[in-house]
Amino acid sequence: MVSSVPRRTVYAATLMAILALAGGWTLAAGSGAHTGPAQASSVVVTAPTDFRTAVVKDTQMLTVSQALILGLTGSAGKQATGPSPGNGLNSTGSTANALLAACPAIYCSANYSAVDMTNALTQADSALQVMLNVTQGLPATPSPAVGFDVQVEIIYTVASAPLTNVYAFGTGYFDSGVNSLASGVTTPGPTFYALALYVDLGTPATNLPSIADVVVTMNQCLVATVCP
């Protein structure tokens, strides 16, 4: 069973307004000025570099099958050690990111399980599939391999008392590699990966969860093989 999950966008102005109310201060009408409590700190906001390596295509909820488990390309990298089930923010090791192998065509695909799931990908569980389109770089500059991470947060409820929000998290660390188009292609160019990342929700599909929100965050690593 596969069902589409709607995505929601949180705009910066809305987020600022929420933070303003939570912090006990108000935004001045018509300006960005505000008055707040005294604090011994400063905040610097830096615009991030434009990230184009991967885009989210869609998210779907599905039931984990044995065929899905057997068809996985592998685990989405290796996460830095942290408290169980592992909550390090970075990958670890010199080749910790999952390498997307050279694609011999214009379009390839790969399936990975998230590395920090509370629950292992289990047959008959409900899971979220996050589909990404990843641009595979050219063999030489100006399109080298790129490392990036994907963090997925899922908020959902299940049809059992008490009906409260449940959270699931999944992370992947990837190395886009470089393409290697099949012989006979006279004008090599970027190739594209349909990359699926699976996060087990830890509940049997018979107790169907209802997903409220899905948040997907992607960051470019400092190098291709390890994050940050």
Side-chain angles (χ1 to χ4, degrees):
M1 173 179 168
V2 177
S3 58
S4 295
V5 176
R7 287 172 288 170
R8 299 182 180 180
T9 301
V10 178
Y11 292 95
T14 303
L15 183 59
M16 287 177 65
I18 293 172
L19 292 175
L21 292 174
W25 46 267
T26 58
L27 293 173
S31 75
H34 66 269
T35 301
Q39 57 183 31
S41 65
S42 61
V43 177
V44 178
V45 178
T46 304
T49 303
D50 195 13
F51 180 79
R52 298 177 179 269
T53 302
V55 295
V56 179
K57 298 303 294 181
D58 61 52
T59 59
Q60 296 180 335
M61 188 168 63
L62 47 75
T63 300
V64 178
S65 66
Q66 185 67 11
L68 171 60
I69 295 173
L70 294 176
L72 289 173
T73 306
S75 180
K78 300 175 183 177
Q79 190 172 47
T81 303
S84 179
N87 61 358
L89 297 179
N90 307 317
S91 57
T92 182
S94 59
T95 56
N97 293 0
L99 173 64
L100 301 181
C103 182
I106 297 296
Y107 194 76
C108 293
S109 62
N111 303 307
Y112 288 89
S113 59
V115 299
D116 60 340
M117 293 182 291
T118 304
N119 308 281
L121 205 58
T122 302
Q123 185 175 351
D125 268 7
S126 288
L128 185 77
Q129 176 194 61
V130 180
M131 290 298 304
L132 308 174
N133 259 10
V134 181
T135 302
Q136 191 85 320
L138 295 172
T141 56
S143 299
V146 174
F148 66 98
D149 61 37
V150 182
Q151 290 124 29
V152 182
E153 177 186 358
I154 306 147
I155 305 173
Y156 63 98
T157 58
V158 292
S160 60
L163 194 63
T164 57
N165 284 340
V166 183
Y167 298 85
F169 301 89
T171 302
Y173 305 92
F174 296 99
D175 175 353
S176 71
V178 294
N179 75 38
S180 177
L181 292 178
S183 59
V185 177
T186 56
T187 309
T191 58
F192 302 93
Y193 259 92
L195 180 63
L197 182 66
Y198 295 95
V199 183
D200 195 296
L201 300 184
T203 180
T206 51
N207 189 17
L208 191 65
S210 175
I211 293 180
D213 291 280
V214 176
V215 179
V216 180
T217 306
M218 291 183 283
N219 304 284
Q220 185 166 321
C221 307
L222 296 179
V223 295
T225 55
V226 66
C227 289

